[in-house]
Amino acid sequence: MNYYSLNNKNHHVSYQEAVIQGLAPDRGLYFPSSITPLPQSFFDGIESLSNEEIAFQVIQQFVGNEIPEAELKQIITETLCFDFPCVPVEENVYSLELYHGPTMAFKDVGARFMSRCLAYFNKDKNQKNTVLVATSGDTGGAVASGFLGVKGVQVVILYPSGKVSDIQERQLTTLGQNITALEVDGVFDDCQDMVKKAFLDETLVHKNLTSANSINIARWLPQMFYFFFAYKQLKKRNKTLIVSCPSGNFGNICAGILAKKLGLPIAHFVAATNVNDTVPQFLKNGKYEPKPSIATISNAMDVGNPSNFVRIQEMYNNDLNEFKKDFSSYTFTDEETKFALQNIYANTGYIAEPHGAVGYLGLKKELQNQPNSVGVFLETAHPIKFSDTVEPILNIKLSIPSQIESVLGKDKMRIKIKSYEELKNYLKN
Ligand SMILES: *Cc1c(COP(=O)(O)O)cnc(C)c1O
């Protein structure tokens, strides 16, 4: 399977090269050269397929013959070691819970899939890759857990000092082995800038740096699975399907749109955002204007320049009229999000968290336009990951799931850094 750079359609690479490089040399994101819809028989019989069988059929064309069938199936089995329930919340409103994995964040799926692909590509080589990632919270834990013990891969995670929750910090600092956490004296943007600098630094070329953010196709593509799992569970409702994704870097929703290109019958997508409204503005006036990010209670979506949006533009031929056929984007304030959390809990007993609540709000808004549909919002993290916000808003105490309990007693290990020079010295040694 070939991928091209969105900055240069003549630059083609294999799946393996795209995974190992992360970004194209011209800094473009990689995009699949061909997208072949799945046969109707696949959708007709989807209820009788296991999640693993569905995932294999969905991802196979994007990997091609670069990973043999047996190994690819093994990678999928290890990736999907937990459930993806579609939980009824209100009439015709479902929460697709993506948080039952090891770190209780949806990013577990992409991180587990990518790490195992890299391990496969490294298996007969002495080559080492260094995965470098900046995190504002959830990515770091999912990447640390997903890559733990993977042969030939060193993982270096940068996080802003004092800006991630205690649980999140423990998830990325307590594992050891091939995982190193660097605590940066600064904010998330400083971490991100250091990572970008390292990728451009010629003196680090021999370190084979790659990214584990959703710009990497091996983290982005497996997110298509969720949309097929939702359809499998809701097909029997026999209604048109709307999916609302709480969006930050727009990787998740971009995977959903690709799933639709494979023939998945999703009638409408909603990209729900917090006040970081670059995309809702684009839908309004056709201008894409990145802005500095604004801090909110759904902080994993505090993104002013969503990195995957160029892929979405590619799929809609960058034509606003094509977008408007099946794509809406709505923005919500923290006040609205808090109110939604309280309303959902008071009316249904369901405990959401701020990101899911933004998704819920987007879905409700679109259902007003399309009342005969059934809707799903993605719940992207377990409420415990945002307990500092959820507990006071709902006035409850959350119980601690076993996945989280297991990291609470462990010691944090991290190296404090202040500058890019310190990062570079660390990577060189
Ligand atoms: C990363 C993240 C998101 C945003 O996902 P994108 O694919 O970047 O749009 C939403 N919610 C949570 C909890 C996240 O960690």
Side-chain angles (χ1 to χ4, degrees), residues 37 164 228 321:
V164 304
F228 287 88
N321 291 322

Side-chain angles (χ1 to χ4, degrees), residues 106-107 138 246-252 300-301 355 380-381 386:
F106 83 87
K107 295 181 170 79
D138 268 1
S247 298
N249 269 317
F250 284 65
N252 234 350
M301 311 197 303
H355 306 79
T380 44
F386 298 92

